[in-house]
Amino acid sequence: MKREMMKAVRTTPLFRSLSDGDWRDVVRFLHGHCYPADSYLFFQGDPPEALYIIWSGRVKLVRHTDQGRDVVVTVLGPGQLIGEMAVFDGRPYSMTAVTLEETAVVTIARNDLMTLIQRYPAVSFEVILELNRRLRLCTELVRSLAVDRVEQRIARALLRLKDLGGAPAPDGEGVMIDIHLTRQDIAEMTGTTVETAIRVMSRFRKEGLIRNYKGRTILLDIKGLETIARGK
Amino acid sequence: MKREMMKAVRTTPLFRSLSDGDWRDVVRFLHGHCYPADSYLFFQGDPPEALYIIWSGRVKLVRHTDQGRDVVVTVLGPGQLIGEMAVFDGRPYSMTAVTLEETAVVTIARNDLMTLIQRYPAVSFEVILELNRRLRLCTELVRSLAVDRVEQRIARALLRLKDLGGAPAPDGEGVMIDIHLTRQDIAEMTGTTVETAIRVMSRFRKEGLIRNYKGRTILLDIKGLETIARGK
DNA sequence: CGTTTGCTTGATACGTATCAAAGTTGGTGG
DNA sequence: CCACCAACTTTGATACGTATCAAGCAAACG
């Protein structure tokens, strides 16, 4: 089990370019952990202890407000990194990481990681690429929040989630987003309220764009959603 | 002049940890350029040619929409990098870079930069730190756009700009934001319209929070702006 | 000067938040 | 297996913030 987990992590972008010898060196620093659904990997403001690499499951990153309203900045899945930001600059985690379902992760302690990226420049470069990817996504999210209306933002969010956790619908047609998300999560991903998120999703359903199936959302008309996402 | 420019770049975060010998190697790849106000360093969608390091002046990064409305994702000043994202992953620039005033930059061609970061791991690490910083700012911007009202977003923007281009007011009291920004720019930084931005700024002025001076904004009551920024 | 560019104000319409209440679902224990 | 509870979803009525449209004004500029 643990061996299998490590093997999967070895093919992760972060480590894929290491030689077998280097990998044997690196693997000593890795630790496996498993969390049930709705548990916290760390909280916004905690000191940076470790980098997390998701092996299985999904994790949302939530940015809290002084007041009650939270924002789900992103949802991450297998192979992706959590906590890199804090780990590299040593400042507290800027978001809270919450599991959406049972999740297994591999961690590397901050100090060990710092050693590794000095020893293996290729790992460094993969980190740069990953930060890059995040920054591009984040920039696009900023644009969307700044100029799109709720309907467009939700359409975009659904399409993004499809890319992250899409699977053919277990019954009939469509692409299922196989991630446990509440309407509240959708609302927090799109900077709106539960009620509005529900209203929009209902309308999408009535228009045949999406469909519900055991608490999951199935996308029926991706072209249609893309049209809405781009603002008609 | 050019020598002076290079000397300044040497103290930039990206290169500060290089030895004198390494620096002599690096400096061969650097090129100086100067742009008047309102000129374009590159456009969103252009292939990534080079990394830019600002020596003097200010540059805004604008993300365009399919429709007309643009978003100013950030404003950058001396010592900061432009175009890193595209340069590292090789994909087109995700934003357009426009000078807000006369601006001098140092550039490194994409290929040369790739060579450098392989040769000098310390540079790699500085890149990671810079991407980190950007990502933190971008995340906070997302949060602000998602949950804050316009008034709060503008207060936040003013405080950020103060950190970037703040200087003691040339007359009387207050801290001047020494950057040429139109109300349109403010609106595009905060995801609102010119008219709304103007209304909010006018109210701030009437309440004694800010003041105008030769086309610049002077912050008179930073505590007050911080109170508004945090939502009453 | 006239023309452009940016600033300002007002009237109105629309999108979305807010508050309230009821319906639905899944899980738990009797 | 059913009853119950808590969490989540749904719908409606209303209020509020902000966009939009329109028009006038000031300053910069060739």
Side-chain angles (χ1 to χ4, degrees), chain B residues 34-42 97-101:
Chain B
C34 199
Y35 299 83
D38 298 313
S39 44
Y40 295 80
L41 304 190
F42 51 77
V98 189
T99 59
L100 290 170
E101 49 200 62

Side-chain angles (χ1 to χ4, degrees), chain B residues 127-146:
Chain B
V127 168
I128 289 176
L129 290 183
E130 175 63 15
L131 288 172
N132 246 315
R133 222 181 50 80
R134 292 280 176 89
L135 205 41
R136 279 184 190 269
L137 289 173
C138 199
T139 301
E140 172 52 22
L141 186 53
V142 163
R143 192 209 54 73
S144 184
L145 286 166

Side-chain angles (χ1 to χ4, degrees), chain B residues 182-183 195 198-199 202 205:
Chain B
T182 65
R183 307 286 151 159
E195 296 94 326
I198 284 170
R199 277 184 246 267
S202 293
R205 182 165 41 74

Side-chain angles (χ1 to χ4, degrees), chain A residues 102-120:
Chain A
E102 186 173 303
T103 297
V105 301
V106 169
T107 65
I108 310 178
R110 178 167 142 73
N111 287 340
D112 294 339
L113 184 68
M114 297 309 249
T115 310
L116 290 182
I117 66 166
Q118 276 172 26
R119 198 175 304 168
Y120 305 112

Side-chain angles (χ1 to χ4, degrees), chain B residues 62-127:
Chain B
V62 184
R63 171 110 192 147
H64 301 294
T65 320
D66 297 350
Q67 306 111 291
R69 293 183 60 181
D70 294 343
V71 179
V72 173
V73 176
T74 186
V75 173
L76 300 168
Q80 296 189 288
L81 308 181
I82 311 178
E84 353 68 55
M85 279 201 277
V87 163
F88 288 116
D89 64 16
R91 294 174 53 204
Y93 291 113
S94 58
M95 296 181 260
T96 297
V98 189
T99 59
L100 290 170
E101 49 200 62
E102 187 173 301
T103 296
V105 300
V106 169
T107 65
I108 310 179
R110 176 166 142 73
N111 287 339
D112 294 339
L113 183 67
M114 297 308 248
T115 309
L116 290 182
I117 65 167
Q118 275 170 27
R119 197 175 303 169
Y120 305 111
V123 173
S124 241
F125 190 67
E126 292 296 341
V127 168

Side-chain angles (χ1 to χ4, degrees), chain A residues 74-93:
Chain A
T74 187
V75 174
L76 300 168
Q80 296 190 286
L81 309 181
I82 310 179
E84 354 66 56
M85 278 200 278
V87 162
F88 289 116
D89 64 17
R91 294 174 53 205
Y93 291 114

